[in-house]
Amino acid sequence: MDATTAHRPSTIAKIPVSSWSFAVRVWLATALALFVSFWLQLEAPTTAALTIAVLAEPTRGQALDKACFRLLATIVGVTASIAITGLFSQVRDLFLVAFAVWLGACVFVAKLLDGYRAYAAVLSGYTVGFIAVQQIDTPQHVFESGVARGAAIVVGILSIAVVNALLFAPNQQSRLVAQLTAIHRSVRNYASAAFRDEPDNSTTFLDLLRDIVTLRPQTASVALESDSGPIRSAAARNLTVGLIAELQAARTLSSRRAKSSDAETHASARSNLLRRDQQVRQDLFALKSVRWPSRLWRAPLYRSYRIAAESGARAALWCAIASIIYVWAGWPVASVSLSFVVLIIGLGATTPKPRAFTAIALIGTPIAASLAGVLEFIILNGADAFPLLAIALAPFTVGAALLMTSKNLLWSSLGRIGLPYLVLMLAPSNPQTYNPQAFLFTCVFIGAAAALLLAAQILIPPVSDDQHRMWLLAEARSELRRLAHSNDETPEEATFRDASRIGQFLSAGGAQDGRALAEMLSCFDQSAIIRLCDAGRGVKSARAS
């Protein structure tokens, strides 16, 4: 047996065992959430099952991290629902305007964040759609609806936490340690090439930079996995910042400017790279040995307020367009469809391409409707026993969860959309209602929501990749001219923030824009060198005094 075969993960039907384990946990957590909801006679058991679909993450730390933000965002959303309803319930037009503005503000905040924090921001927005908008004709029930939704979410969170604990869901920390160790090895190889005076490989540099900055949300998730989680999170955060600093030091050494300079400057660049590598090794040792690092660095995220404002304004306009059309149409259940419009707007705001997400949602709607119809009217077909419901859900939830683990973006997206759509269309209840007309209306209005939103996004397109790159580059130029950086940031933290901007630039198709990418890297290099020189002068001044 060769080395490749020996390290190949075990599979069942050519699917990794880890994916099967994740899918089974999702199914069991869904069944447990529904069972507890029925037993407690909650008003919103569908929300409990939907919480499982939303919190379906491969590791325990990620699920807990997302659960905490979901609970917090629900509290914010319920509070906003009560406030908007209390202020504007008597004037429907002002109510819808206030709701659109609130949604735009939530998308604005989401664009300034990443990971589950961004998800929490948009959840605060579309929660108002599922509580206040759906109770627009009965505003006195908004508080009760919010409490019912909150209780169901708590049941869902506890269910997935129990299942993950009993079935030994993998921790994020072991995977994160392996990823950071592998990245450090690659960074050292890149640095070794710089020591050998080999030409700089920009492709390798960008790949490593993107791999490092994308780990930022994962370093936060580690904190909730165990008692030592906060220590591991701090060490991992330090390590990501240090890796960017080492990567930048290696790029500086291999640049033509460093090679053509005098021997003293070249020796200084080599010394800086060695010092950076030593810092990274210390942080990696702290992470593996569960020790607090000798210093605590933050990993700041670059925030473009212009991009966030443009995205928030567009989201508010899409919501306003949908509201106008629904009011003009006069549909009796238009509020339900509008809730799905804002749901897609919110979830799409956390993706690089909102319009593509809406298109996938439109494609996934008839697929989910067909599967939900088969489940409800063919497989269950009037059954009201809970064991039958749990067993019937198994192939659908397991299948959708397996799609989530796919490396193909389309299949993964369909799984992420299909599972919550299936739950929403089935609407599990106790006893289960079998109403073909209600089922048909739900499916039609979910599909109408996606189609209407896609039309609005064609009329008012999201921020394009070209605009995204242009604004990021303009902001990089402006900061370099003004040398604008926060006074409370260390050079390492500021360099990481600039690296996260390059990561955003690459996510907007920057790799295909060679001229703009070269200028972006030039700004990154110059800013890092200036900060390093300023820090060096500060140290010398302190020693002299």
Side-chain angles (χ1 to χ4, degrees), residues 132-195:
V133 173
Q134 291 196 13
Q135 300 293 335
I136 192 171
D137 294 323
T138 54
Q140 67 274 14
H141 293 157
V142 168
F143 179 77
E144 297 175 7
S145 178
V147 171
R149 182 177 177 85
I153 288 175
V154 170
V155 168
I157 290 173
L158 293 177
S159 298
I160 198 167
V162 168
V163 170
N164 282 343
L166 294 178
L167 296 186
F168 304 101
N171 285 333
Q172 177 70 14
Q173 58 190 30
S174 57
R175 181 181 301 181
L176 184 61
V177 170
Q179 287 177 303
L180 288 170
T181 302
I183 290 175
H184 179 223
R185 190 181 305 115
S186 299
V187 171
R188 284 178 62 89
N189 291 337
Y190 177 79
S192 297
F195 267 101

Side-chain angles (χ1 to χ4, degrees), residues 117-380:
R117 290 169 177 79
Y119 161 74
V122 297
L123 175 60
S124 301
Y126 69 72
T127 294
V128 177
F130 281 96
I131 295 178
V133 173
Q134 291 196 13
Q135 300 293 335
I136 192 171
D137 294 323
T138 54
Q140 67 274 14
H141 293 157
V142 168
F143 179 77
E144 297 175 7
S145 178
V147 171
R149 182 177 177 85
I153 288 175
V154 170
V155 168
I157 290 173
L158 293 177
S159 298
I160 198 167
V162 168
V163 170
N164 282 343
L166 294 178
L167 296 186
F168 304 101
N171 285 333
Q172 177 70 14
Q173 58 190 30
S174 57
R175 181 181 301 181
L176 184 61
V177 170
Q179 287 177 303
L180 288 170
T181 302
I183 290 175
H184 179 223
R185 190 181 305 115
S186 299
V187 171
R188 284 178 62 89
N189 291 337
Y190 177 79
S192 297
F195 267 101
R196 295 191 299 268
D197 291 336
E198 295 180 5
D200 179 52
N201 189 333
S202 295
T203 302
T204 302
F205 170 80
L206 293 173
D207 289 342
L208 289 172
L209 182 144
R210 182 160 40 190
D211 289 343
I212 296 169
V213 297
T214 53
L215 291 178
R216 183 181 181 276
Q218 299 181 35
T219 60
S221 299
V222 173
L224 299 176
E225 290 187 336
S226 63
D227 294 339
S228 62
I231 301 177
R232 293 181 183 272
S233 178
R237 185 173 59 249
N238 261 34
L239 188 52
T240 56
V241 176
L243 283 169
I244 288 294
E246 181 179 1
L247 188 64
Q248 190 278 328
R251 176 176 169 82
T252 300
L253 179 61
S254 63
S255 67
R256 294 179 181 177
R257 185 164 45 256
K259 291 179 181 178
S260 62
S261 60
D262 56 72
E264 182 179 353
T265 303
H266 192 62
S268 176
R270 293 169 67 93
S271 176
N272 180 49
L273 177 55
L274 292 173
R275 179 172 61 87
R276 295 298 188 191
D277 184 65
Q278 179 64 24
Q279 290 174 339
V280 168
R281 284 189 288 164
Q282 290 175 355
D283 290 332
L284 186 58
F285 176 76
L287 177 61
K288 293 181 177 179
S289 58
V290 197
R291 297 182 180 180
W292 284 103
S294 58
R295 66 207 169 281
L296 292 178
W297 280 334
R298 295 169 300 170
L301 177 71
Y302 180 76
R303 295 181 172 93
S304 173
Y305 288 90
R306 181 172 184 178
I307 294 174
E310 289 282 349
S311 300
R314 283 166 166 77
L317 288 174
W318 298 333
C319 180
I321 290 173
S323 300
I324 292 172
I325 292 177
Y326 283 134
V327 170
W328 174 77
W331 292 338
V333 289
S335 59
V336 176
S337 190
L338 181 59
S339 300
F340 289 110
V341 170
V342 299
L343 172 65
I344 301 171
I345 291 175
L347 295 180
T350 62
T351 66
K353 298 183 182 299
R355 190 160 60 187
F357 179 85
T358 304
I360 293 176
L362 182 59
I363 295 171
T365 298
I367 298 175
S370 301
L371 294 176
V374 169
L375 173 60
E376 184 170 359
F377 299 106
I378 297 179
I379 297 178
L380 292 176

Side-chain angles (χ1 to χ4, degrees), residues 15 19-20 22-24 26-27 371 393-406 411 414-416 418-419 422:
I15 299 175
S19 297
W20 283 104
F22 165 68
V24 170
V26 172
W27 166 57
L371 294 176
L393 279 172
F396 298 92
T397 54
V398 169
L402 288 176
L403 284 179
M404 292 182 195
T405 64
S406 173
W411 290 116
L414 286 175
R416 286 282 175 189
L419 183 55
L422 177 72

